Amino acid sequence: MVMFRGHLLCFGLGYSALRLARGLLRDGWRVSGTCRSEEKRQALSAQGITAFVFDETTPLPAEAWTGVTHVLVSIPPGPDGDPVLALHRADLLALRPEWLGYFSTTGVYGDTGGAWVDEGKPVRPTQERSKRRVAAEEDWLDLWRDEDLPVHLLRLAGIYGPGRSVFDQLRAGTAKRIIRPGHAFSRIHVDDIGLITRASMADPDPGAIYNLVDDEPAEPSEVMDHACALLGIDPPPAQSFDEVAPGLSPMALSFWADNRKVSNERLWDDLRLRLLYPTFRQGLEAILAEETGRVAEGPPVYKEASDC
C-alpha cells in the first residue's frame, strides 16, 4: 500500500468515523464532515475538522465538496431510504471521488443458527433496521453498476473501543454476565475499522464488500470474564438468557435474535491485512492501557498493509 494523502468528506462523524478522521488528520489529510448540532460543529472545528450541520433534509453547501477526493457515508438509512443519496446523488456524480465507502452492518446476514457467513452469502435480514440497510446497500451499489462510481460496502460487526466497551458497564455497575451457550457475537475494535477503511481507500476495488469483524466470534460471557480478569475483579454472577430476557429492552433483545459467525478472510485475501486486535483479548488489553494512561490517547500509527 503506497502512502498517500487526500481530502475525506465524511457524512456522520460518529464514534468510528471520528476516530478514523483523527488518524487521517495526524497523517496530513484534510478531513471534513457532518454532525447534528452547532455545538458539535464548533468542537470538531477545534480539532481541525471542517464540519457542517446536516439535518438529513437540507443539502450541504456547494463549498463542502471543494477539493474532496474520498467520501465516507456513516449515516444509517431512514424509513425513506438513504438521506445522502436522496440529497447528493448529483453532487457525487459530478465529483466522481477516488473512493466512496458506505458503513453498513453484518446484521444484513440475519440469523444463521450460529453458522459462518462470508461476503458471498445471500443477505437475509430479520430486523427492520437491517432490512433498511440492505435496501441502502443496493441503492449505493447501483451507483457503481450504473454510473461507475467506486462504491465499497463495509459491513461492521459490534463496535467496541475506548469509552465503549464492557469496562464501562463494569465500572457503572450495570454489567450482566448472560449465559446462552452457543450464541456468539462478532465484533471489531474501532481502530481496526480505521485500519481496514484506510487500506480500502489506498487500494480501491469498486463494488467490493468487506466484513469488518475480528478473527474470533465469542460469547459475551467470555468477553466479560476476560475484562474482569484484566481489572482484577470477580465477574458478576452468571444469569441465563431466559432469566434476564423479560427485563431486556426491545433493542437489546433484537441483538440476541440473530446468531451468526462472520468471516473476515477477504480482508487478508484482498487487502493483505492483519488486524491490530485479532481477538477481543488484545482489544480489551489495548483499551485498558489507553484508558489508564499507559499509552497515548488516540488511534495508533497505522502500518502499511504490505508490512502487516
Side-chain angles (χ1 to χ4, degrees):
M1 181 172 73
V2 177
M3 183 62 73
F4 69 101
R5 294 177 179 85
H7 179 174
L8 175 69
L9 171 61
C10 180
F11 283 89
L13 283 164
Y15 180 70
S16 300
L18 184 55
R19 186 92 167 175
L20 166 68
R22 288 169 176 160
L24 291 172
L25 284 172
R26 185 199 58 227
D27 290 343
W29 278 66
R30 291 182 60 197
V31 178
S32 56
T34 71
C35 58
R36 291 182 174 272
S37 70
E38 177 61 22
E39 181 181 13
K40 182 69 177 292
R41 188 198 68 77
Q42 293 179 19
L44 291 168
S45 178
Q47 299 177 52
I49 298 172
T50 302
F52 303 88
V53 176
F54 184 58
D55 64 5
E56 303 181 12
T57 62
T58 305
L60 296 184
E63 61 263 27
W65 301 93
T66 303
V68 171
T69 58
H70 297 67
V71 177
L72 175 64
V73 178
S74 182
I75 294 176
D80 298 324
D82 190 283
V84 179
L85 269 177
L87 293 173
H88 289 297
R89 189 176 190 275
D91 294 307
L92 289 165
L93 291 174
L95 178 68
R96 305 207 68 83
E98 298 174 24
W99 179 91
L100 198 165
Y102 178 70
F103 275 175
S104 186
T105 170
T106 56
V108 298
Y109 295 115
D111 181 31
T112 69
W116 285 91
V117 292
D118 59 26
E119 295 88 345
K121 299 293 184 182
V123 294
R124 296 190 176 95
T126 59
Q127 306 298 317
E128 182 59 35
R129 62 181 181 275
S130 297
K131 293 176 182 178
R132 292 177 184 175
R133 287 287 191 183
V134 170
E137 285 188 355
E138 284 302 305
D139 288 342
W140 281 106
L141 285 175
D142 281 344
L143 276 188
W144 164 60
R145 290 185 285 247
D146 301 338
E147 306 291 351
D148 200 30
L149 288 191
V151 173
H152 303 72
L153 299 185
L154 309 176
R155 291 173 175 164
L156 280 59
I159 303 164
Y160 73 106
R164 187 180 290 191
S165 75
V166 66
F167 292 132
D168 303 282
Q169 301 165 35
L170 287 165
R171 291 168 182 144
T174 60
K176 290 182 172 64
R177 186 168 176 261
I178 301 174
I179 307 298
R180 196 180 196 186
H183 196 116
F185 289 88
S186 294
R187 53 188 55 78
I188 186 72
H189 191 286
V190 65
D191 287 335
D192 277 319
I193 294 174
L195 175 74
I196 299 161
T197 303
R198 290 178 64 143
S200 176
M201 290 163 64
D203 187 17
D205 182 14
I209 303 172
Y210 300 113
N211 291 331
L212 276 61
V213 301
D214 69 15
D215 296 348
E216 186 180 324
E219 296 179 22
S221 59
E222 294 180 71
V223 179
M224 182 165 295
D225 288 350
H226 189 68
C228 290
L230 291 174
L231 293 174
I233 62 174
D234 293 330
Q239 298 175 280
S240 72
F241 174 78
D242 291 339
E243 178 185 355
V244 301
L248 295 178
S249 68
M251 178 61 75
L253 282 173
S254 72
F255 285 109
W256 286 92
D258 295 339
N259 185 13
R260 59 182 172 269
K261 297 175 183 175
V262 184
S263 169
N264 66 7
E265 290 185 7
R266 183 171 287 182
L267 300 180
W268 173 252
D269 293 342
D270 290 10
L271 297 175
R272 315 308 287 178
L273 275 182
R274 295 194 186 279
L275 298 180
L276 298 166
Y277 310 111
T279 78
F280 65 87
R281 298 173 190 86
Q282 296 93 338
L284 289 177
E285 289 156 14
I287 291 168
L288 188 59
E290 180 171 328
E291 291 181 342
T292 56
R294 295 201 296 271
V295 296
E297 181 180 357
V301 175
Y302 292 102
K303 297 179 180 179
E304 301 291 345
S306 59
D307 295 333
C308 296

